[in-house]
Amino acid sequence: MTGAPQPSLVFWFEFASPYSYLAAFRIEAAAKAASIDHVWQPFLLGPIFAHRGFADSPFNLDTRRGDYMWRDIERLCARDDIGWRRPAVFPRSGLLAARVATAVMSEPWGRAFCRAVFRANFAEDRDITAAATIGEILRELGQQPDVILARAAAPDTKEALRVATADAEALGVFGAPTFQVGSELFWGQDRLVDAVAWAARGKTP
Amino acid sequence: MTGAPQPSLVFWFEFASPYSYLAAFRIEAAAKAASIDHVWQPFLLGPIFAHRGFADSPFNLDTRRGDYMWRDIERLCARDDIGWRRPAVFPRSGLLAARVATAVMSEPWGRAFCRAVFRANFAEDRDITAAATIGEILRELGQQPDVILARAAAPDTKEALRVATADAEALGVFGAPTFQVGSELFWGQDRLVDAVAWAARGKTP
């Protein structure tokens, strides 16, 4: 028996990443329009940034780049009619949300959970590092927060997220969002169209 | 008497920058399609990078990012049918070419000169830091290399390039290419479409 078929496109995302937020609200329509399947893969940028020598978000370390990013995100959200409020704290660790996402990604409501977390962080300025916030989001999705948070805290879940992050780094991922099509990587929400076009041409190995 | 009318879009570029190369070969069609006027403005990234703490190209300082960039450029050139050969030396200083461009940008053949320099660097792997290479390009454009190179070396030209670089930094430019529409900056060749759309909507201050 061979392994499971590879999806056409893997969406690597990090809850702390503003451009991942944009991608999360754009990818479904883009993939559907091109009739390609895709999976959402949470991972953590922190360990990868640490290996690159960054002790903080590059947007905080370089204020010129950061100032540009905040204006750029605001413009892009307006363009695409996506809600936006600059978070009072940046970055907010995506660790808890990423563990929950790792645990529930295959549930029918997994992507809705991710979008709700992104919205909480980047449109509602809520503290996504707090179990109370994640619990509220889960409850709104009809889930039992205690049950899901226990799954998120299980050793298997933590290990799966560690492995995903190591896999991302091994692939060459250095930022988020990254769209993977076979061995090809496309970095940045503005490359979504290129990634989808690549997947649609069936250029996967 | 008031100052000259502001162009709808300013294309800030650096001859050492691979993504500026792509933009130089895409901008005419994009601007024409949207019926907007634009100017080409050479500047030097080196002093701006130095102020950001970079002693070399960020693509050399961070090999993961650099590896990605080389593959990305190759893919984009193939997509847009733009010639590509990875330069044996990177980055090649754009200083001499930028001084010439500063001197000749308003000539009818100014943009053709810039495109020829970019092509020499990124499609022909020629040494654009050498006066001989720049001279060949000028000769192919029907110009007298000695005359133009003397204009490029004149104190006024050097000063104009220094001022342009300082202006870029004051505007908030931190990379190339950057498209300026009024006070709005759009960084990266993949944002050309957004910049042109912004200019076309007349959202300049």
Side-chain angles (χ1 to χ4, degrees), chain A residues 103-136:
Chain A
V104 308
M105 208 65 247
S106 59
E107 305 280 355
W109 48 273
R111 294 181 186 180
F113 169 78
C114 295
R115 282 190 293 266
V117 171
F118 274 122
R119 195 185 300 116
N121 195 7
F122 293 112
E124 300 163 356
D125 193 16
R126 289 159 69 193
D127 181 10
I128 63 162
T129 69
T133 306
I134 301 299
E136 283 166 24

Side-chain angles (χ1 to χ4, degrees), chain B residues 148-194:
Chain B
I148 304 295
L149 287 168
R151 280 172 59 190
D156 283 1
T157 304
K158 293 180 178 180
E159 178 61 12
L161 179 58
R162 270 193 296 269
V163 167
T165 298
D167 285 351
E169 189 159 20
L171 277 169
V173 170
F174 57 88
T178 293
F179 309 103
Q180 178 198 353
V181 183
S183 60
E184 298 285 336
L185 301 181
F186 298 82
W187 170 54
Q189 64 83 30
D190 40 18
R191 305 304 302 285
L192 172 60
V193 171
D194 291 291

Side-chain angles (χ1 to χ4, degrees), chain A residues 117-203:
Chain A
V117 171
F118 274 122
R119 195 185 300 116
N121 195 7
F122 293 112
E124 300 163 356
D125 193 16
R126 289 159 69 193
D127 181 10
I128 63 162
T129 69
T133 306
I134 301 299
E136 283 166 24
I137 289 169
L138 289 167
R139 205 172 293 115
E140 283 163 16
L141 291 165
Q143 305 304 313
Q144 292 181 280
D146 290 352
V147 173
I148 304 296
L149 288 169
R151 280 172 60 190
D156 282 3
T157 303
K158 293 180 178 179
E159 178 62 14
L161 179 57
R162 270 193 295 268
V163 167
T165 298
D167 285 350
E169 189 160 19
L171 276 168
V173 170
F174 57 88
T178 293
F179 310 103
Q180 177 199 352
V181 182
S183 60
E184 298 285 336
L185 301 181
F186 297 82
W187 170 54
Q189 64 84 31
D190 40 17
R191 305 304 303 284
L192 172 61
V193 170
D194 291 290
V196 165
W198 196 278
R201 287 204 306 271
K203 288 203 170 177

